[in-house]
Amino acid sequence: MQFEFASAARIIFGDGSAKELPKLALGYGSRALLVTDSFQPDSVTSLISALRSADAQLTHFPVSGEPTVEVIDQAKAVALSAGCDLVISIGGGSVIDTGKASAALIPNDGETLDYLEVIGAGRKLAAAPLPFIALPTTAGTGAEVTKNAVLGSKKHRVKVSLRDDRMLADIALVDPQLTHSVPAAVTASTGMDALTQALEPFVSHLANPLTDGLCAEGLRRAGRSLRKVYAEPDNAAARNDMALTSLLGGLALANAKLGAVHGFAGVLGGMYDAPHGAVCAALLPPVMAANISALNAREPENPALKRYDYAAQFLLFDRAASAQDAMDWISETSRIFDIPGLRAYGLREDDFDEIVAKSSVSSSMKGNPIALTADELTAILRAAL
Ligand code: NAD
């Protein structure tokens, strides 16, 4: 057995931990590019005030929506003219990825596209990224501990990653209290993303004993708190569980990759205006069904088959649970959360061939437990409509 495990240099988790930010930030730099959402909940506004009261010079870069190549070019220009020596992101996955990509590209010449995989020149970073501190305000992506930033390109109608081992954050500061203000629909979609990210690395052919433990714990926490956090948004224990599920999933995916759900999600997110987690929710049961059927037909000895049952047992706290029980539970959760099929976001059969072609070459697809055929991928899309 051989594996490697990489993560953020330091992970700080717990209710109230965000108040450490000013002190921690000053250890890394004094001129920060601060990336936040355009809309800031009160908890984030107070954090910004605390940062301003410390000795840090802030260049605030608010963003809306998921990051694009153009937004990163703008952030880089702003940071260069302000002489920033540190990047801080306080926000959801979109904000974290904006900060992470900016930290990577500020010290490197050229444009964002030059460094992107699949659609760009895939240039390697010559200079190390600026120090980067990430504070998630959603519980879904685990982006605070991953080494990639997902960026959209309008021109190519796809989302792809900027990736480098050195893009891991210097500090992931995870304060579940920052997620209490997340509205119900976002709690639902981000929660489904967190669940997917605890499951896909667990059945990935790149799974290792460390990621297995992280995924098992993430699946248990999601099983007991995913529906609860939607029903009781102020339930601190449930918000803690989901913040932890997100963190555990991020740690796992950064080291064991994902699978077909995220292989599709990156492409669909670039083509349609749909929340990332809602796309994951619609795809998860049909991807599980397709993988299990393909494994039974072509690789019945593949350990992923048993792993799907184990995942169901962790998720449902039931030693007799099977993968089918997990699929039923996930579909029922989507119904409770009012997450629609992908047709609601504009997915059309006419686009299937383009989506299948683009998804087949995505990085996440490489973690899938078995290579799926174009017909199998098409059938997944039809089932997720
Ligand atoms: P998001 O960051 O786009 O935020 C969704 C919405 O929630 C926004 O409207 C935002 O303003 C709002 N919001 C965020 N925090 C809030 C709070 N505390 N209170 C009230 N409103 C709040 O959503 P997300 O799901 O966290 O991130 C999605 C992005 O992350 C996508 O671009 C996806 O591709 C990317 N992603 C990255 C990785 C990675 O490893 N880098 C992994 C998975 C997903």
Side-chain angles (χ1 to χ4, degrees):
M1 181 195 310
Q2 291 195 345
F3 65 86
E4 191 179 323
F5 190 88
S7 186
R10 193 169 168 197
I11 298 170
I12 303 171
F13 183 94
D15 278 342
S17 58
K19 65 177 183 307
E20 301 298 322
L21 177 62
K23 193 173 71 194
L24 292 167
L26 288 171
Y28 287 92
S30 57
R31 294 183 307 279
L33 179 74
L34 172 66
V35 187
T36 68
D37 267 307
S38 309
F39 161 76
Q40 286 135 33
D42 292 347
S43 53
V44 174
T45 310
S46 346
L47 257 184
I48 298 174
S49 306
L51 269 175
R52 287 202 197 283
S53 318
D55 270 344
Q57 188 182 310
L58 292 187
T59 300
H60 193 179
F61 189 77
V63 293
S64 344
E66 299 188 355
T68 60
V69 171
E70 296 76 20
V71 166
I72 305 304
D73 285 334
Q74 281 167 23
K76 176 177 169 176
V78 167
L80 282 175
S81 68
C84 293
D85 56 6
L86 160 71
V87 179
I88 302 170
S89 282
I90 311 174
S94 298
V95 167
I96 292 179
D97 279 358
T98 304
K100 195 190 292 181
S102 304
L105 295 179
I106 291 164
N108 285 285
D109 63 12
E111 295 184 349
T112 303
L113 200 54
D114 299 338
Y115 294 89
L116 288 184
E117 58 187 29
V118 184
I119 57 167
R123 248 177 96 180
K124 302 282 170 235
L125 300 180
L130 288 187
F132 176 54
I133 302 178
L135 288 84
T137 64
T138 59
T141 70
E144 65 275 13
V145 286
T146 62
K147 52 193 163 194
N148 65 307
V150 186
L151 307 179
S153 163
K154 291 211 169 66
K155 183 173 146 207
H156 299 88
R157 297 180 76 221
V158 71
K159 295 200 305 191
V160 294
S161 277
L162 174 68
R163 194 184 300 277
D164 189 290
D165 287 349
R166 293 166 295 173
M167 286 168 63
L168 285 162
D170 292 271
I171 302 180
L173 186 48
V174 186
D175 182 342
Q177 281 177 350
L178 296 180
T179 66
H180 283 228
S181 54
V182 173
V186 179
T187 296
S189 62
T190 50
M192 293 304 267
D193 188 17
L195 167 62
T196 309
Q197 295 188 161
L199 180 57
E200 290 209 292
F202 191 65
V203 294
S204 161
H205 65 93
L206 298 166
N208 69 54
L210 276 182
T211 58
D212 286 349
L214 298 166
C215 292
E217 189 59 17
L219 288 164
R220 283 193 205 100
R221 304 249 172 195
R224 77 179 182 197
S225 290
L226 177 59
R227 291 184 183 178
K228 189 175 276 181
V229 80
Y230 182 75
E232 303 168 30
D234 292 324
N235 184 320
R239 288 284 187 197
N240 258 266
D241 269 353
M242 290 315 298
L244 203 48
T245 300
S246 174
L247 173 67
L248 293 164
L251 291 167
L253 81 89
N255 292 282
K257 284 197 181 278
L258 289 159
V261 174
H262 277 82
F264 275 128
V267 173
L268 293 166
M271 295 174 69
Y272 310 101
D273 190 12
H276 173 73
V279 173
C280 292
L283 287 164
L284 186 52
V287 164
M288 287 174 72
N291 278 344
I292 290 168
S293 153
L295 287 163
N296 274 319
R298 301 198 286 280
E299 296 180 21
E301 301 304 319
N302 190 314
L305 269 175
K306 270 257 153 272
R307 281 168 170 266
Y308 271 118
D309 290 333
Y310 293 144
Q313 290 155 22
F314 292 131
L315 184 70
L316 304 177
F317 293 85
D318 176 356
R319 285 181 186 211
S322 67
Q324 185 59 54
D325 297 322
M327 286 185 257
D328 293 345
W329 187 88
I330 293 164
S331 299
E332 178 59 15
T333 306
S334 287
R335 270 192 291 281
I336 294 169
F337 287 0
D338 266 337
I339 294 179
L342 296 178
R343 196 192 303 276
Y345 301 108
L347 180 66
R348 304 172 312 135
E349 299 231 4
D350 286 354
D351 290 340
F352 281 6
D353 288 349
E354 180 185 351
I355 296 165
V356 167
K358 285 178 172 172
S359 305
S360 308
V361 295
S362 72
S363 166
S364 292
M365 199 60 93
K366 299 191 179 101
N368 205 53
I370 184 166
L372 296 173
T373 64
D375 283 349
E376 287 166 338
L377 292 170
T378 305
I380 291 170
L381 289 175
R382 195 162 289 116
L385 268 176

